[in-house]
Amino acid sequence: MKYISTRGKTEPMLFSDVLLMGLAPDGGLMLPESYPQIDDEVLTQWRTLGYTDLAFEIMKLFATDIPEQDLQDIINKTYTKQAFNSDEITPVTKLYQGVDLLELSNGPTLAFKDMAMQFLGNAFEYVLSKKGERLTIIGATSGDTGSAAEYALRGKQNIEVFMMSPHGKMSAFQRAQMYSLDDKNIHNIAVQGMFDDCQEIVKKLQEDHDFKQKYSLGTVNSINWGRILAQIVYYFKGYFAATQNNHETISVCVPSGNFGNVCAAHIAREMGLPIDRLIVATNENDVLNEFFNTGKYQPRTSDETFVTSSPSMDISKASNFERFIYLLLDKDTQKVAQLFTQVRQGNGFDLSENLNKIQETFGFVAGKSTHQDRLDTIRFIFEQTQRLIDPHTADGVKVALDLQQPNERILVAETALPAKFEETMSEALGEIDLPRPAHTVGLEEKPQYVTVAENRAEEVADLIKQFVQPN
Ligand SMILES: *Cc1c(COP(=O)(O)O)cnc(C)c1O
């Protein structure tokens, strides 16, 4: 299988090259020339497979340049009961009146990002050793992404990680999760500034081509194709767990930010998985809600982005969105390039003439949730079912219950565990003991390893030079 760019000006590439990439050289996003089609017979064969075997069947269609035995090894090493707390890896549990949860947050950092990041860590290590290359991962985080990346890349050969976070801005739990890692290849940098400043530093270092070359800089952000691929798998697994045969359809509802997770669900649907509707749930940062209801995409600036109690969905632009727009516009790369050049210049675009296609052909609908909705939903679900759901998952459940049609079954992606968000949970429920997985008990008491840095790219560059040999 070959990979091409949504903007049409990048030579076709193989999976292992695309895996290590961020943006395509032409500024677009990489994706397969076409999505493999899965028929009824194959679906039936896959229905009874365990997680690792199913992941192998799906991923081998996309990663055709990795020998099958090696791919199987990477997958077996990644999706273990030890790392994800159950043999099913992503169990489906009943929640309330036809709305079920697809549990994606039982990995090391208690958020769904582990599902993809743990795979990426092992896949990176494998590909780098085959190529005889190394990588210096730089990133900025306000919480979930950084910890998922660090837990996936800790101790990996030929990979050094420099993760910037805003000094004093994360919760005690989030700080402890990241800063307690003592692996030699993990470097936590607390920047005296805000999250945006951290991101700005990453951008500056990436744009310095000499420095980037010399120190083999790379990223693991949400546009990475390997992450999307790993996320496709659990929609198949969830569908099989929730149905008896391939004539049954379900809808999925995904708490969304950068359109990564729901993009994977969309691709699974394109491959032939019997998903009825793709329900996009946003918080107050509702660019995607607006698009799927009107066809108008109007990204915001970071000043116009609200800080909310579902912080991992606080985005102003959905970085994976271009992958869907490419398909919506029948692979018209010129048009895609034109629209997203507009976006880069701070403008939006209007595809309202395609609204019917967006909703009917592609199955997308959307809804939004507010802080009060999250609190109400957490309380309501707890009262009705005794189950605790985190604020992001609550956005999903709220929107699913709002939009549910008669007899429609909806799988809501559980994107984090409540233990990560004590403050909002107790605002909703009063003082409450949140269950914690064994490996996180006492986390806050462990020694922490972090370097505080001024808000300057040069200072971070100096830290990198200290630990990485130049090429
Ligand atoms: C990252 C994240 C999201 C948003 O996922 P996208 O793939 O960016 O849409 C939602 N919830 C949680 C808990 C997250 O960490």
Side-chain angles (χ1 to χ4, degrees), residues 290-456:
E290 200 170 278
F291 176 78
F292 288 108
N293 282 299
T294 66
K296 291 186 188 138
Y297 183 57
Q298 195 54 256
R300 321 266 159 82
T301 62
S302 50
D303 296 343
E304 299 163 316
T305 307
F306 302 106
V307 175
T308 77
S309 50
S310 47
S312 299
M313 295 158 63
D314 292 348
I315 59 98
S316 40
K317 250 191 219 112
S319 53
N320 276 290
F321 199 42
E322 193 168 329
R323 289 196 167 103
F324 167 62
I325 297 300
Y326 167 81
L327 219 56
L328 176 67
L329 298 178
D330 300 315
K331 309 191 177 181
D332 181 346
T333 51
Q334 238 177 327
K335 184 84 197 285
V336 172
Q338 184 214 324
L339 293 182
F340 283 91
T341 306
Q342 261 166 252
V343 168
R344 182 157 311 163
Q345 291 159 350
N347 302 309
F349 54 74
D350 183 348
L351 293 176
S352 50
E353 77 274 19
N354 290 292
L355 193 58
N356 198 48
K357 189 171 171 192
I358 292 166
Q359 295 177 343
E360 300 304 322
T361 312
F362 288 100
F364 277 107
V365 291
K368 74 181 268 190
S369 156
T370 63
H371 178 67
Q372 193 57 47
D373 292 328
R374 284 187 278 287
L375 299 181
D376 292 346
T377 306
I378 290 168
R379 201 177 307 119
F380 175 77
I381 290 294
F382 185 65
E383 284 164 7
Q384 297 292 323
T385 70
Q386 297 300 297
R387 170 122 186 191
L388 295 165
I389 55 172
D390 101 288
H392 304 78
T393 308
D395 286 329
V397 170
K398 142 86 184 159
V399 170
L401 291 172
D402 274 358
L403 300 187
Q404 189 177 32
Q405 295 170 340
N407 300 320
E408 184 179 31
R409 291 184 54 207
I410 304 178
L411 264 188
V412 176
E414 181 182 50
T415 56
L417 293 190
K420 291 191 98 163
F421 303 98
E422 268 175 13
E423 211 179 301
T424 305
M425 294 307 292
S426 49
E427 193 180 339
L429 299 169
E431 281 310 307
I432 180 162
D433 261 340
L434 296 172
R436 273 200 178 191
H439 71 275
T440 64
V441 174
L443 193 67
E444 287 92 332
E445 280 77 57
K446 286 192 182 167
Q448 298 193 353
Y449 308 90
V450 57
T451 306
V452 178
E454 279 175 42
N455 180 10
R456 289 190 308 128

Side-chain angles (χ1 to χ4, degrees), residues 112-113 144 255-261 312-313 392 415-416:
F112 90 96
K113 291 191 173 67
D144 291 342
S256 296
N258 273 316
F259 199 73
N261 201 0
S312 299
M313 295 158 63
H392 304 78
T415 56

Side-chain angles (χ1 to χ4, degrees), residues 141-143 165-172 174-175 179 190-198 307 311 423:
T141 188
S142 54
S165 49
H167 186 45
K169 299 288 187 305
M170 295 194 300
S171 74
Q174 287 176 321
R175 280 200 303 271
Y179 302 168
V191 174
Q192 289 170 325
M194 306 295 285
F195 171 62
D196 286 337
D197 298 318
C198 300
V307 175
E423 211 179 301

